[in-house]
Structure formats: structure tokens, C-alpha cells
Amino acid sequence: MPSLRGRRVLLGITAGIAAYKGAELARLLVKAGAEVQVVMTPSATEFIGPLTLQAITAREVRQSLFDAAHEAAMGHIELARWADVVLIAPATADVIAQLAWGTARDLLTTVCLASEAPLVVAPAMNQAMWRHAATRDNVAALLRRGVDIVGPAEGEQACGDVGPGRMVEPVEIVAALGARFGGGRLAGRRVLLTAGPTREALDPVRFLGNRSSGKMGFALADALVGQGADVVLVAGPVALPTPRGVERVDVESAQQMYDAVFAHVAQADIFIACAAVADYRAANVADKKIKKDGTETLTVELVRNPDIVASVAALPQRPFCVGFAAETDDVEAYAEHKRRIKGLDMIAANQVGAALGFEADDNALLVLWEGGREALENQPKPRLATRLVDLIVERFDAQTTAQDS
Ligand code: C5P
């Protein structure tokens, strides 16, 4: 059984008799570690009940483009972005024609048109339909665009004909998917990352904090799992769900974050410091609520917190270290300076200020490393995270190869 751990597979089921094998296919994909979201065309539900697939995948099956409740939760564009791979099995002659022509008449074909994820198609149809010149042209068009066509197999068909057109067995489809997308570029690697703000207590009810939402760090954790990494996420106080497959350690203060990082860093191949850590904490935390009676001013003495990422980068046996820099001006110069003084392998810098960076859903980053740079344009944080992970993997691989040789 190949590993598809952490892979997000959008499984499209269309209206062929082989749709009944969709249940077995979904089960094998889940067993291989994939997260599976089934999208059925309306007529596919004549062949197999959506409830069966929902029970297997633990996700509600999506069927309609015009479903207000589902669109509000995860709209068709989000669905298209969510997928690491789109697999259509069985794929009828009709859906293959629609894909070739780029039509978007139902949820599945709309998602295919909107998705940049690789597309794998397992055709299933009557042998004469498969051999028809129209289907041949449509399949050729898909192949030219880099679509993977798995099968069809030859043999006896449900209609009594014998010839090519049977859907290849689910176990073979999963094997084909495993060969193409299994493992991931960080399979077997451990990544430790920090995310969110820290809270520095002043007294039992008050704290010093900052505006970090944690969205970027959580999106990164998700993208890292998508590349097959084992991820430990040390999170400050944020209101975000834990990405699937991630081990989460919740902390409040910078000191707790430091302790949690150092409890895990020895096993880490890569450390990413995405948290907005408070530079200072109160020298003395009042054990009772501070009263304002009779005082017009209040002075709080602050002391420096340890710099977590710089401390990790200073370890003799250290992971590949990535930091972030939020700057209001002269972004590149300040970020490069920060990269050097903290001893980081890579730094991702962004300009902060009005409506940029913190709390926003979109962001742009300038990524710097020794002898290189890449600007990642303004885009939603999940997509940005995927791009940043690609860069981290490239630099990490280059460094590991250089150390080995
Ligand atoms: O120095 P500055 O706070 O701007 O640096 C930002 C980078 O350093 C981020 O990667 C942040 O997570 C990390 N950092 C840290 N520990 C601190 C302060 C910042 O790990 N105490």
C-alpha cells in the first residue's frame, strides 16, 4: 500500500457503472493516509449513494454548484485550492469531453477548471465509446495538457461487450497515485514551527500582546504536512483549528514558547519561527490585580525575552532555520541584517502597516537566503505558504546535498 499521508485528494465520481467501485477506491485512499473529499455529478448518485462515501471519508459529499450552505462553508474555488490532486474515477466519456472543452456545467468540472492541482483521470465506458474518434481527440487533448490517464483496462464489460473501457481496479489507481504523489518532498523530515502571538502577563488578568493572528504559521503547518513532513506546531494563543496531521503544543508566553521549542528542537530537521514573540516581559508579574486608585501613571519594568530563533540557530547541531521579519520600511535591508545577526538560513520579510501583514488573509513576502532572493506576490496566505514551503525545500535540499558531498 503506497503512502498518501497528508495528501488531499478530491475524488470526482461520475455516472458510470464503475461508480460502485468508488466506495472501495475512497476506502483505499483513506487507508493510504489521504484526506478525501468526494464530489459526485448528480447522475453518479444513481449508481452509488453519497451516504456510503460520506461514511468512508468522514466528509460530506459535495454534489451541487448551487448549494448556498456548502458554498458558504467551502466554496467551489476553495475546494479547487484545497486539493493536492484531483482524481476522477470513474470518468465517463462525457466528463472527459467536458474537461477537454473546459466547460464548467456542474461542480466537478467547475472545480477542475478552477484548480491548479494535477488531474488524474481513470476512464470507464463502453469499448465503442472509448474507441470513438471524438473520445480519442478529447483524451489526446488532456494528455497534451499533462493530465494523467490511468487505464482503461481491457475485458468483459457490464454491457456484455469485450474490449477496452473497464475502469482499472481501485488498488491500481491508488498505486498510480502513490507513485506520482506519494511521499512528498519532506517525507520523513521533521519540522518544528512557532506561530501566533505571545502573551506576557502583567497581573492575573492583564497581559501585553500583539496583533498576530497565527494564520500564516497555521497555513505553513498545513502546507508542510501536504509535503509529507512530521510537523510540531508551537502555537501562541490563537483562535484557529489545528491543521490535520499536526502535533500542536499550546503556549502563552515567550518563555513557554522557548521551553516548548527546546523540548522538540533536537529532533527537528527544519525550524521555522513564524510567531510574533514579545521582545519584553514584565520584570515582576503582580500576583493580584493592579489597582489604579490614587495613581495617574503606572510604570512597568520590562526585561528582555530570549530570542528563540537566534538561540536555535546558535546550537552546534542545528536545524535549517527560517525566520520572519515584519518591517515598516526599507524591508530588504533590515531583513537581510536580521538574517545575518540571528544566523538564519532564510528569512521571509513582509511590509507591515495599514491593512498589510498582521490579521490580513493575504500577504506578500520577500524571501532572502545566502546569495539569493525571491519575491512572492500578494496572495492568500494558504497559497503563499505553499510557495514558501517550496522555497524552503529547495534551499534545505541544496544545503543537505552540499553537506553530504
Ligand atoms: O527581531 P524580530 O522580532 O523582528 O525577529 C523576528 C523573527 O525572530 C521571527 O522569526 C520571530 O519568530 C523570531 N523571534 C524569536 N524570538 C524572539 C523574537 C523574535 O524567535 N524573542
Side-chain angles (χ1 to χ4, degrees), residues 37-221:
Q37 171 66 60
V38 174
V39 175
M40 297 177 79
T41 56
S43 23
T45 60
E46 304 284 338
F47 292 89
I48 183 168
L51 264 183
T52 308
L53 293 149
Q54 178 180 318
I56 293 169
T57 60
R59 277 175 171 267
E60 213 174 318
V61 170
R62 298 287 301 270
Q63 299 171 50
S64 171
L65 190 52
F66 306 106
D67 179 331
H70 278 124
E71 282 294 306
M74 177 147 70
H76 59 281
I77 299 295
E78 281 157 289
L79 210 52
R81 288 187 185 143
W82 172 88
D84 291 326
V85 55
V86 177
L87 165 67
I88 305 185
T92 57
D94 180 65
V95 81
I96 289 173
Q98 286 198 62
L99 294 172
W101 283 93
T103 60
R105 292 194 309 229
D106 55 24
L107 178 62
L108 181 59
T109 46
T110 305
V111 166
C112 287
L113 206 55
S115 181
E116 287 173 12
L119 178 59
V120 180
V121 168
M125 66 196 74
N126 165 270
Q127 53 85 23
M129 289 167 104
W130 174 251
R131 284 205 288 250
H132 194 285
T135 307
R136 310 271 12 100
D137 285 351
N138 292 334
V139 168
L142 295 189
L143 286 170
R144 267 199 310 280
R145 281 182 221 151
V147 174
D148 275 320
I149 309 280
V150 182
E154 296 229 6
E156 199 176 318
Q157 302 204 297
C159 54
D161 280 7
V162 176
R166 286 168 59 94
M167 186 175 91
V168 295
E169 290 304 320
V171 67
E172 291 169 46
I173 297 175
V174 176
L177 225 60
R180 290 171 180 75
F181 309 105
R185 299 170 78 195
L186 287 170
R189 298 293 187 182
R190 290 162 198 252
V191 183
L192 176 63
L193 83 157
T194 64
T198 63
R199 281 183 186 172
E200 309 300 325
L202 296 176
D203 68 15
V205 291
R206 303 184 182 94
F207 59 83
L208 295 172
N210 63 66
R211 301 169 83 95
S212 169
S213 65
K215 283 178 192 162
M216 188 65 208
F218 276 59
L220 270 173

Side-chain angles (χ1 to χ4, degrees), residues 392-405:
I392 292 171
V393 173
E394 271 168 38
R395 301 323 310 159
F396 172 73
D397 282 351
Q399 199 183 79
T400 318
T401 314
Q403 278 164 1
D404 290 349
S405 59

Side-chain angles (χ1 to χ4, degrees), residues 343-403:
L344 309 181
D345 299 291
M346 184 182 257
I347 197 156
N350 62 333
Q351 188 152 12
V352 287
L356 283 170
F358 286 153
E359 295 176 308
D361 288 327
D362 291 10
N363 202 359
L365 289 176
L366 176 65
V367 188
L368 307 171
W369 60 91
E370 191 65 47
R373 74 196 285 285
E374 186 152 332
L376 303 178
E377 75 279 14
N378 198 44
Q379 54 195 307
K381 284 178 177 173
R383 183 161 293 238
L384 186 65
T386 308
R387 302 276 311 278
L388 181 57
V389 167
D390 285 343
L391 283 178
I392 292 171
V393 173
E394 271 168 38
R395 301 323 310 159
F396 172 73
D397 282 351
Q399 199 183 79
T400 318
T401 314
Q403 278 164 1

Side-chain angles (χ1 to χ4, degrees), residues 194 273-279 305-310 322-327 338 342:
T194 64
C274 196
V277 187
D279 291 321
N305 272 325
D307 189 310
I308 303 169
V309 74
V322 183
F324 277 74
E327 307 291 346
K338 201 163 281 183
K342 294 192 186 226

Side-chain angles (χ1 to χ4, degrees), residues 288-301:
K288 293 201 179 72
K289 191 177 169 194
I290 300 168
K291 297 288 179 199
K292 58 182 170 295
D293 311 338
T295 44
E296 283 308 311
T297 62
L298 175 70
T299 306
V300 178
E301 193 189 349

